[in-house]
Amino acid sequence: MSKKIYLSSPHLSDEGYEMEYIKEAFVTNWIAPLGNNVNQFETELATKVGAKAAAALSSGTGAIHLALKAAGVGDGDVVFCPTLTFSATANPIIYQNATPVFIDSDYKTWNICPKALEKAFEKYPNVKAVIIVHLYGLSADMDIILEICRKHNVVVIEDAAESLGTHYKGKHTGTFSEYGIFSFNGNKIITTSGGGMLVSDNEERISKVRFWSTQSRDKARHYQHSELGFNYRMSNIVAGIGRGQLKVLDDRVEKKKYIFEFYKRELSKFEGIEFMPINEWNEPNYWLTCITLSGNVKPLDIMEALEKENIESRPIWKPMHMQPFFSEYDYVGGDVSQKLFENGVCLPSDTKMTEEDLSRVVEIIKSLF
Ligand SMILES: *Cc1c(COP(=O)(O)O)cnc(C)c1O
């Protein structure tokens, strides 16, 4: 069997930074929640993205959940959510007993469509919060979206799980609104094996999130609770991996961009292949290189041909309004997200890929045309 090529797998630093921080935690016996790595990882990530404060949590999903709670989302509230995303964006809306309304994408950004968003506001003027996703590391068009949201006085939460390292007009995604979240799951651009971060310029809200994430323990000698609590805090070991990974984030972005440009150079001449949109205001992290197909070669043809050669690829996210679990909820928009799902492929974008690996992928795809 030929060498396996992954879509996107963990890539630890060559320097062994992660192990150094883990060792520090062991030596000081701070492997339990909290400790120096957690505090430092929060500060270092907040500095990197340009946010005032950050709370390190056990997952990106947990971060979205507590962002919704911090935003005051509760029983029966309506929350707008892009339909083209991973289910982890939408599930926490249900955890809070709120109601998601799914919104279509546009072709220009692959992210939430401003026109559909405006239509949704007409239909649901009392919406409580809007989640914006920066899909595959492509930023949403924040100026337009925020202008619409500001008119309606809603809290905006940015799901930047896939876009650590992505900038919009020079500013880091996840820092345009009240709350931003990042994920360090195994396939993300950097990973802690699993974990997440909630960032905000509102330090009071961030300390509240830390409080909720450690079981809402009131200041008292005995165990005293006046609020519902969660066990969502990041451990000091995991935070150590994160600190090491953060040091190589810029290298990872550079390699992801190289991968995108390699595919683009080799494949864009083929009739019917179109690359994900890179807008002039966007500096993506190129987490995954995605294409859409409009000719005789279908996504399944590419995915099957690659699979035969032990190479991983994936369809574009299946929209939430097409998912059995979410089918009862309302959807505003047309068929853009559905078309992206039906015609799209995520190409292997693993930062450990060599020149030879990239050529292997490209040759297999070329042979289909
Ligand atoms: C990965 C991901 C999440 C969830 O992050 P976890 O850390 O895996 O919980 C949320 N939203 C999007 C868009 C993601 O890709």
Side-chain angles (χ1 to χ4, degrees):
M1 200 68 174
S2 38
K3 177 186 158 199
K4 170 101 181 174
I5 297 177
Y6 292 95
L7 190 72
S8 183
S9 70
H11 188 172
L12 296 171
S13 67
D14 295 334
E15 295 84 354
Y17 297 133
E18 297 85 354
M19 206 42 130
E20 285 301 310
Y21 290 121
I22 292 174
K23 221 187 271 168
E24 185 186 306
F26 269 81
V27 168
T28 56
N29 199 34
W30 274 121
I31 64 163
L34 311 182
N36 187 49
N37 281 336
V38 173
N39 300 337
Q40 292 298 328
F41 187 34
E42 288 179 343
T43 306
E44 287 158 8
L45 186 119
T47 305
K48 181 81 187 169
V49 302
K52 281 216 180 94
L57 302 169
S58 52
S59 70
T61 310
I64 296 170
H65 186 187
L66 294 188
L68 289 166
K69 190 172 162 64
V73 171
D75 281 358
D77 287 331
V78 170
V79 177
F80 293 162
C81 176
T83 191
L84 192 66
T85 186
F86 180 45
S87 65
T89 312
N91 283 330
I93 301 170
I94 311 290
Y95 303 165
Q96 282 303 97
N97 292 319
T99 306
V101 169
F102 295 111
I103 299 183
D104 204 3
S105 308
D106 68 5
Y107 285 119
K108 190 175 170 238
T109 64
W110 287 20
N111 285 306
I112 200 164
C113 170
K115 285 207 186 77
L117 181 62
E118 276 189 312
K119 215 182 272 173
F121 274 117
E122 280 165 29
K123 200 166 171 189
Y124 298 94
N126 295 323
V127 54
K128 187 88 183 188
V130 178
I131 304 179
I132 305 296
V133 179
H134 304 288
L135 209 68
Y136 297 120
L138 303 172
S139 78
D141 195 351
M142 291 311 287
D143 282 349
I144 295 173
I145 289 161
L146 287 177
E147 191 187 313
I148 297 167
C149 290
R150 294 297 171 240
K151 269 196 300 215
H152 296 274
N153 207 16
V154 284
V155 185
V156 177
I157 297 166
E158 287 172 84
D159 178 348
E162 300 175 5
S163 73
L164 183 60
T166 295
H167 293 77
Y168 171 81
K169 298 186 179 173
K171 190 171 153 73
H172 203 290
T173 50
T175 63
F176 284 85
S177 55
E178 286 83 347
Y179 303 100
I181 77 95
F182 297 98
S183 165
F184 312 110
N185 194 5
N187 63 357
K188 298 297 180 343
I189 191 156
I190 61 169
T191 182
T192 60
S193 74
M197 193 80 80
L198 176 59
V199 300
S200 177
D201 284 341
N202 187 333
E203 290 168 77
E204 181 273 321
R205 290 276 86 185
I206 289 290
S207 38
K208 192 77 192 191
V209 162
R210 291 194 192 111
F211 170 79
W212 289 329
S213 74
T214 47
Q215 309 285 21
S216 297
R217 284 175 297 194
D218 293 343
K219 282 198 169 65
R221 192 181 294 276
H222 52 275
Y223 285 93
Q224 168 92 9
H225 307 277
S226 327
E227 284 188 65
L228 178 66
F230 300 82
N231 186 2
Y232 273 0
R233 199 74 163 120
M234 182 180 278
S235 91
N236 202 42
I237 294 288
V238 160
I241 306 175
R243 291 182 74 191
Q245 284 273 283
L246 203 53
K247 288 192 168 181
V248 293
L249 173 63
D250 293 345
D251 299 341
R252 298 295 174 265
V253 173
E254 199 179 308
K255 181 65 186 275
K256 293 274 192 190
K257 185 175 185 183
Y258 179 85
I259 292 169
F260 174 85
E261 283 171 350
F262 188 100
Y263 284 133
K264 191 153 190 188
R265 190 170 62 241
E266 295 293 327
L267 297 174
S268 55
K269 51 182 169 283
F270 291 95
E271 180 96 9
I273 295 190
E274 212 176 314
F275 279 75
M276 62 189 194
I278 312 296
N279 288 287
E280 68 286 356
W281 35 256
N282 191 8
E283 285 169 76
N285 69 359
Y286 299 91
W287 173 53
L288 297 182
T289 293
C290 305
I291 57 172
T292 53
L293 300 163
S294 57
N296 292 330
V297 178
K298 303 295 176 204
L300 196 60
D301 301 327
I302 291 187
M303 289 186 281
E304 283 180 345
L306 291 173
E307 196 175 9
K308 265 193 212 127
E309 297 297 324
N310 210 15
I311 300 170
E312 198 181 17
S313 63
R314 284 277 169 82
I316 299 286
W317 299 121
K318 181 174 181 177
M320 291 304 112
H321 75 280
M322 295 169 70
Q323 301 287 355
F325 179 74
F326 291 111
S327 60
E328 66 183 278
Y329 301 104
D330 200 6
Y331 168 66
V332 180
D335 63 358
V336 176
S337 54
Q338 184 177 345
K339 286 277 184 296
L340 289 171
F341 163 61
E342 287 167 356
N343 301 324
V345 187
C346 307
L347 298 177
S349 307
D350 196 74
T351 48
K352 290 194 297 305
M353 284 170 87
T354 61
E355 211 65 14
E356 199 182 316
D357 295 336
L358 281 165
S359 299
R360 243 179 87 202
V361 176
V362 160
E363 289 312 314
I364 293 164
I365 295 172
K366 278 181 180 174
S367 71
L368 298 169
F369 284 84

